[in-house]
Amino acid sequence: MAIPLVGIPIEDLSAEDCVPCSPGLLIDHDEVEMLTTQLKAMADQTRLQIVHLIDRSPAGELCVCDLTESLDLAQPTVSRHLKILTTAGLLRREQRGTWAWFSIRWEALQGLRKHAFPRGIDCASF
């Protein structure tokens, strides 16, 4: 549904001139590829839930079987999401017998924040 523009105040900035300035350097090509892969990996509801569940687990790690039960998804589906997060470097995978256990690679998340949002790094600690 469209919102009518009648009654919405519009600020007149026509008197001000745009003064071009250099915003700085672009992100290195390899680095931007890595950041894009990591952000795409996180841009999924199930994968965000997986990271959240691992973060909230008492030991800071969860087994695939714990995740399948919590998410109410089939094991192959959960494994596919875990592979995407692991390949992006956001999770650490440790094989223990038959089961794989996953934990968050905090240094990767800190790196993602530092490189994707460098000004925000001064605003708050991770």
Side-chain angles (χ1 to χ4, degrees):
M1 182 172 100
I3 300 174
L5 297 178
V6 177
I8 297 176
I10 299 173
E11 189 176 351
D12 183 10
L13 299 176
S14 59
E16 295 183 28
D17 293 330
C18 177
V19 180
C21 65
S22 173
L25 301 174
L26 293 174
I27 302 172
D28 175 70
H29 177 65
D30 293 337
E31 189 175 344
V32 84
E33 272 191 28
M34 179 199 59
L35 293 171
T36 303
T37 299
Q38 290 177 332
L39 289 169
K40 283 181 181 180
M42 293 294 290
D44 178 89
Q45 292 178 7
T46 300
R47 293 192 285 272
L48 280 174
Q49 291 289 9
I50 288 171
V51 172
H52 175 77
L53 288 169
I54 293 171
D55 179 47
R56 296 293 180 210
S57 69
E61 62 181 4
L62 286 176
C63 175
V64 174
C65 63
D66 296 323
L67 291 165
T68 57
E69 186 176 321
S70 295
L71 296 166
D72 195 28
L73 293 172
Q75 186 270 328
T77 303
V78 174
S79 291
R80 180 176 54 82
H81 286 294
L82 288 165
K83 181 175 181 169
I84 291 168
L85 288 165
T86 304
T87 301
L90 300 171
L91 293 183
R92 182 176 291 106
R93 181 183 189 278
E94 183 182 333
Q95 191 70 35
R96 297 182 196 161
T98 311
W99 296 101
W101 290 77
F102 294 86
S103 59
I104 297 170
R105 292 188 63 235
W106 291 108
E107 64 279 5
L109 286 180
Q110 288 172 337
L112 173 61
R113 181 178 180 200
K114 176 183 171 189
H115 297 310
F117 312 104
R119 289 181 63 173
I121 208 73
D122 296 333
C123 297
S125 62
F126 207 142

